[in-house]
Amino acid sequence: MQTDFQIETAGQGLYEFTRDIQSWVGSCGVRQGVLTLFVRHTSCSLLIQENADPEVQTDLRAYFARLVPPSTDTSMSYLRHTYEGPDDMPAHIKAAMMPVSLSIPVTDGAAVLGTWQGVYLFEHRDAPHRRKVAAHLA
């Protein structure tokens, strides 16, 4: 079974799509298996992260913004790929540091996630985007 999830972003941040995943997995009729997710872009990432306290997402975004600032920051003056904006090359760096694919077990027709775990697309660009995440359930 395969599908694409489309995630509309409004700039940098974490966008949870766990419910969409669980709904699709539940509709596939697969009782046991593995769900593979793969983001089809080079300036965003996929994460499994806590979904109970929104401060976790705020802190993650702040940490990575501090770790990899925009190319206009003097600490990033060595960057050459800057013609797509000050957030572009830092977005590629962040995507290189974080996963772009995830494997999640499926048991009893549901993705097996912990109580506080959610699946997120981590958008690293400032502008809104329509991101595609390919899903394969076997």
Side-chain angles (χ1 to χ4, degrees):
M1 307 293 288
Q2 293 185 335
T3 195
D4 280 330
F5 294 102
Q6 290 197 21
I7 296 118
E8 302 284 337
T9 70
Q12 292 192 40
L14 287 99
Y15 297 85
E16 186 175 9
F17 63 111
T18 311
R19 286 186 184 149
D20 296 332
I21 291 166
Q22 292 290 28
S23 177
W24 178 72
V25 169
S27 72
C28 288
V30 175
R31 303 294 300 154
Q32 310 289 336
V34 175
L35 171 64
T36 302
L37 301 171
F38 175 76
V39 66
R40 298 172 56 189
H41 305 276
T42 61
S43 55
C44 58
S45 306
L46 294 174
L47 292 178
I48 294 176
Q49 196 47 256
E50 179 179 327
N51 64 359
D53 185 349
E55 289 178 347
V56 172
Q57 290 89 47
T58 302
D59 288 348
L60 280 169
R61 184 170 175 236
Y63 173 78
F64 282 101
R66 185 175 176 183
L67 187 65
V68 187
S71 63
T72 52
D73 187 288
T74 56
S75 68
M76 303 298 275
S77 63
Y78 62 91
L79 296 177
R80 297 294 168 250
H81 179 76
T82 59
Y83 53 88
E84 292 183 50
D87 66 321
D88 185 47
M89 190 59 215
H92 293 300
I93 293 169
K94 292 171 190 174
M97 297 169 66
M98 289 182 251
V100 295
S101 67
L102 301 171
S103 295
I104 302 169
V106 171
T107 301
D108 295 329
V112 179
L113 294 167
T115 302
W116 310 116
Q117 288 183 318
V119 181
Y120 292 86
L121 180 124
F122 196 165
E123 176 64 67
H124 304 307
R125 297 296 308 267
D126 291 333
H129 284 83
R130 177 178 291 139
R131 301 302 196 170
K132 292 182 181 176
V133 176
H136 177 86
L137 178 57

